[in-house]
Amino acid sequence: MTGARRKRPPLGAGRRPGQSTTRDQILTAALDLFAVQGYSGTTMRGIAQRAEVDPALIHHFFGNKDGLFREAVSSRIDMSALFESLPEKTEEEREVRGLSRGKRIARTFLSHWEDESTRPALVAVYRASLSDEATAKTFGNEFDAAFVSYLGRITSEETERTPTFTSLVPAHLVGLAILRYVLAVEPLASLEFEELMERLVPAIEVHFGRPAQA
């Protein structure tokens, strides 16, 4: 027989040209589904269909659903840097921010939720956390560490705050984020961002007004 053996068809009929492009397509598709359906409601097959690739290719790149979830989130946002996105540009701005720590914390954290490029990752994280204890613990620890690290940088006395304090402020922010961006509860979901800041910041700053305790 002189004819050459027939070549195996491509791994995914809809695979995009180039490994990097295909990988990004999978990450984007995964985030879209994780954000809408949650972790438990999202399947590897569903992600493959949305990304138009063979499911085996997802396993090749990411191993399993947990690996894909974590990489999809980290491709959009660094959970350990949730309070580091607003650079201090001038001495005057540093002074103002030093006088309004609650405003800086609230605006920095919620700016990630307002940004369409990072919101899907955060929604995916919190939807997953609501239904998966291990995910909640992992990302909760990262969030807490980011907040405590931020407190230590802005003012030394904040490092003496009790664990109760360092839990209350994040709980306030996270609770609001879940109601506004994940569950879309009205009127929070439709409230203008600046009006939200006007109402939220005084409640956050109340915690800073209380004396630190041993």
Side-chain angles (χ1 to χ4, degrees):
M1 185 174 178
T2 58
R5 180 176 296 178
R6 187 176 180 180
K7 294 182 179 179
R8 176 179 291 183
L11 185 59
R15 181 178 178 179
R16 304 298 192 266
Q19 176 173 309
S20 178
T21 302
T22 304
R23 201 170 185 282
D24 292 342
Q25 183 77 8
I26 294 171
L27 291 173
T28 298
L31 268 185
D32 289 344
L33 291 182
F34 282 131
V36 174
Q37 300 178 2
Y39 183 86
S40 60
T42 300
T43 65
M44 297 287 266
R45 183 170 296 278
I47 295 171
Q49 291 176 346
R50 190 177 186 90
E52 299 181 2
V53 299
D54 191 289
L57 188 61
I58 300 181
H59 288 283
H60 170 72
F61 281 138
F62 306 102
N64 54 32
K65 187 167 78 168
D66 184 62
L68 173 57
F69 176 77
R70 294 179 184 282
E71 189 151 350
V73 170
S74 63
S75 71
R76 296 291 184 88
I77 192 166
D78 180 359
M79 294 295 291
S80 66
L82 290 175
F83 299 97
E84 300 178 4
S85 293
L86 294 179
E88 297 172 327
K89 298 178 181 179
T90 65
E91 188 65 34
E92 180 180 358
E93 189 171 355
R94 281 193 290 270
E95 182 179 352
V96 170
R97 287 180 173 180
L99 295 175
S100 184
R101 293 164 295 187
K103 183 176 182 179
R104 179 177 178 182
I105 287 174
R107 184 174 291 276
T108 304
F109 176 67
L110 292 179
S111 68
H112 297 293
W113 291 89
E114 290 289 314
D115 189 336
E116 293 183 1
S117 66
T118 52
R119 186 190 307 140
L122 286 168
V123 172
V125 165
Y126 284 97
R127 280 197 181 279
S129 298
L130 290 173
S131 60
D132 185 81
E133 184 177 351
T135 301
K137 184 176 181 179
T138 297
F139 287 103
N141 288 341
E142 290 183 11
F143 179 93
D144 291 344
F147 182 66
V148 171
S149 175
Y150 168 75
L151 289 180
R153 289 195 306 275
I154 61 173
T155 177
S156 59
E157 65 266 22
E158 299 305 338
T159 60
E160 300 177 4
R161 294 285 184 176
T162 64
T164 300
F165 169 81
T166 55
S167 296
L168 280 173
V169 175
H172 200 145
L173 293 172
V174 171
L176 185 145
I178 290 176
L179 291 175
R180 176 176 169 89
Y181 303 100
V182 180
L183 302 179
V185 173
E186 297 292 354
L188 284 175
S190 301
L191 200 64
E192 291 292 332
F193 185 70
E194 292 304 324
E195 183 178 353
L196 178 66
M197 288 296 97
E198 291 179 6
R199 295 174 179 271
L200 171 65
V201 170
I204 296 296
E205 292 183 337
V206 163
H207 298 296
F208 285 97
R210 295 170 179 166
Q213 300 176 4

